[in-house]
Amino acid sequence: MNFVSYDGQMLFAALMTGGVAAYWIAIDGVRLRRAVVAYRAAPGDRSIRDRIFGSVIGIIVGAVGVFGSLNYYYW
Amino acid sequence: MASNLNPANAVTASRFLTLPPFLWAVDQGHYQLACVLLLVCGVLDLFDGAVARLFRCQTPFGAVFDAIADGVCYGFAIVVLTAYGRVPLVPVLVIVGLGLVNTGLRWLYARRAGRTVNYQSHAMERLVAFAAYLGGFGTLGFQVDYFFWTFTALMVVVVIHDAKRLALDPVPAAAPLAAPELDDDVGASSPAGVGDRVERTAEVAP
């Protein structure tokens, strides 16, 4: 039971992954910037520090997704 | 306080209905159908947070139930795909082991807090969203080794980071239900919608 061809399947996976990952980088980039500004206003706040760490991990995850998608087609 | 028998928890519970057909689809080799079922499960994950806000039925149990549903659904998918040889065994064993460690630390945190509380880890929320994608990568056979090993490395880092906060750092006081989160300022939840309900209910006393 296939809905699309194998090539279509891989294209779908690459577009979904790369697209969401790029969006993810943008969103977490904004969140990171805001969290850093908040942390400067309240140094040592653990919850803000956790948000910064979360955003950094989010950006890394996004970069992994973009690289994985590009890697499939170009390298 | 809203009842635990509410529309949002019903949507969360309905995610379990995708698991038997997922197992059947993988068993029969219908991998595209299996991927669609995972997508349905992910969409329901987005939907339950919206329903909770719409009907104002956020509860501490709902936050924990949502996290449990994430673990069960995505964990089930990964274990099934491993059993059928679609994904590598070693990273899956490491991921499951770290997941159990994390669950134990969360239980310890709830004991220290002395109330129903779902520890909020922004980094782990990103990884849970990533885990949802791992199932998709496994079913479609897309860059499987690369994504599973990368996920494993990131999970090691996040679990080590969270372990300190869960086991040693002071437990924050309970906050009001509608306390605004800075994340919401962006105008969107995390890309996979993970943690929406957790963010608003994470530190609510029962």
Side-chain angles (χ1 to χ4, degrees):
Chain A
M1 185 189 298
N2 281 339
F3 303 114
V4 295
S5 67
Y6 179 79
D7 286 344
Q9 169 183 315
M10 289 308 182
L11 181 64
F12 171 77
L15 289 177
M16 275 289 289
T17 306
V20 172
Y23 171 71
W24 202 328
I25 290 172
I27 290 289
D28 266 322
V30 174
R31 285 178 173 172
L32 178 62
R33 188 172 56 79
R34 292 185 179 187
V36 168
V37 169
Y39 191 71
R40 282 186 187 140
D45 188 318
R46 285 196 178 92
S47 66
I48 299 176
R49 219 161 45 196
D50 189 59
R51 281 211 300 264
I52 292 173
F53 180 69
S55 292
V56 170
I57 291 292
I59 290 170
I60 293 172
V61 168
V64 165
V66 170
F67 180 80
S69 299
L70 293 175
N71 184 45
Y72 182 78
Y73 279 104
Y74 295 108
W75 294 299
Chain B
M1 163 104 34
S3 164
N4 288 329
L5 292 173
N6 60 51
N9 288 342
V11 172
T12 303
S14 71
R15 296 172 63 195
F16 297 127
L17 296 176
T18 61
L19 302 185
F22 175 83
L23 176 60
W24 175 83
V26 172
D27 182 59
Q28 298 296 313
H30 302 318
Y31 298 115
Q32 292 185 1
L33 176 61
C35 185
V36 169
L37 289 165
L38 276 180
L39 282 175
V40 170
C41 188
V43 168
L44 288 171
D45 190 20
L46 292 173
F47 194 52
D48 64 4
V51 169
R53 285 188 291 274
L54 183 66
F55 290 96
R56 296 179 181 278
C57 52
Q58 297 124 317
T59 63
F61 172 79
V64 176
F65 187 41
D66 193 36
I68 290 171
D70 284 339
V72 169
C73 292
Y74 303 138
F76 178 84
I78 290 172
V79 167
V80 166
L81 291 167
T82 308
Y84 282 86
R86 297 285 294 179
V87 299
L89 177 63
V90 175
V92 170
L93 289 176
V94 175
I95 291 166
V96 170
L98 289 171
L100 291 174
V101 168
N102 189 253
T103 303
L105 288 168
R106 282 170 180 264
W107 174 81
L108 177 65
Y109 184 77
R111 284 282 303 254
R112 291 174 61 218
R115 63 184 190 273
T116 305
V117 59
N118 186 25
Y119 169 78
Q120 183 184 5
S121 165
H122 291 82
M124 191 56 80
E125 286 169 13
R126 270 69 167 184
L127 287 191
V128 171
F130 191 174
Y133 271 79
L134 287 182
F137 299 138
T139 52
L140 297 179
F142 181 72
Q143 302 280 70
V144 177
D145 286 328
Y146 165 76
F147 281 118
F148 270 77
W149 280 108
T150 311
F151 180 89
T152 305
L154 285 172
M155 191 159 180
V156 169
V157 172
V158 172
V159 168
I160 290 172
H161 172 268
D162 286 358
K164 176 179 171 294
R165 286 190 65 198
L166 287 160
L168 301 175
D169 285 357
V171 179
L177 185 65
E181 278 286 333
L182 191 140
D183 282 359
D184 290 345
D185 294 348
V186 179
S189 62
S190 60
V194 175
D196 269 8
R197 292 173 64 191
V198 176
E199 286 183 19
R200 293 191 179 276
T201 60
E203 301 293 342
V204 180

